[in-house]
Amino acid sequence: MKGTTVLILSGALALLGGLAALIFPLPASLAVTVLVGWVFLISGVVGLYASFSDRTMPHRGWASFISLVDIVLGVWMLAQPMAAMVSLTLVVGVLFLASGLARLYAAVARFRGTRLFWMMVLSGIVSTLLGLYVLAALPAASLVLIGTLLAIELIVIGITLLSLGLALRKNGKF
């Protein structure tokens, strides 16, 4: 199969997945939450195995402790996905808020007088407002936010891959 065909098919699948997540944001949010739970659980088990199997590993105690926390977190997320979804949404809201405030600070501290100043200010304001909105709308926002973010990401990736595949096919580059 040609590379451009793979790009076009991947793009179409990502786009369809994004549209499905946009139409059904709650199941998409639950799917992300369960996936994150499994990632915590598996990384905790692997980390715990590594800390016990390698006696020369530095900071084995801390590595074991963090691995145990990962396991507990993963089990909790898998056992209580709705509560975990609220927690993930809270983390996303805090990250949006912190990222926005950091960009506003950077705009004033480092980019004043440059062409990037207003872009940084606008970007910082948007992220800050998104973060405040998410935090103010908890727990209701948790039902759709993670799924909607996944949908947007998949749609953007899908359009990008489709465009790339079609452009490369047109130019005969791939």
Side-chain angles (χ1 to χ4, degrees):
M1 187 178 306
K2 291 174 62 174
T4 54
T5 304
V6 172
L7 287 172
I8 292 168
L9 288 175
S10 298
L13 285 173
L15 187 58
L16 288 174
L19 292 173
L22 196 59
I23 294 168
F24 305 107
L26 177 59
S29 293
L30 278 170
V32 169
T33 302
V34 169
L35 175 65
V36 170
W38 277 109
V39 168
F40 273 117
L41 181 61
I42 292 168
S43 70
V45 168
V46 170
L48 201 57
Y49 172 77
S51 65
F52 279 104
S53 65
D54 184 0
R55 301 235 181 255
T56 64
M57 181 179 181
H59 309 292
R60 285 179 56 214
W62 280 111
S64 298
F65 174 73
I66 290 172
S67 296
L68 285 172
V69 170
D70 283 351
I71 291 170
V72 169
L73 190 57
V75 168
W76 173 75
M77 290 180 82
L78 293 170
Q80 301 290 328
M82 295 299 280
M85 202 165 46
V86 174
S87 296
L88 280 178
T89 305
L90 174 65
V91 168
V92 168
V94 168
L95 288 174
F96 282 172
L97 182 61
S99 172
L101 292 174
R103 273 181 270 144
L104 287 172
Y105 174 77
V108 172
R110 300 203 56 207
F111 293 102
R112 184 176 290 199
T114 70
R115 292 186 295 170
L116 292 176
F117 176 76
W118 288 109
M119 184 57 70
M120 291 292 286
V121 167
L122 178 62
S123 169
I125 289 171
V126 168
S127 289
T128 300
L129 291 175
L130 278 172
L132 290 172
Y133 170 75
V134 169
L135 295 174
L138 279 174
S142 64
L143 297 176
V144 296
L145 180 72
I146 303 295
T148 302
L149 292 174
L150 173 67
I152 292 167
E153 179 68 9
L154 286 172
I155 289 169
V156 168
I157 288 171
I159 291 170
T160 302
L161 290 174
L162 277 170
S163 300
L164 181 61
L166 292 172
L168 289 174
R169 180 173 281 176
K170 180 180 176 188
N171 293 334
K173 299 274 186 188
F174 206 168

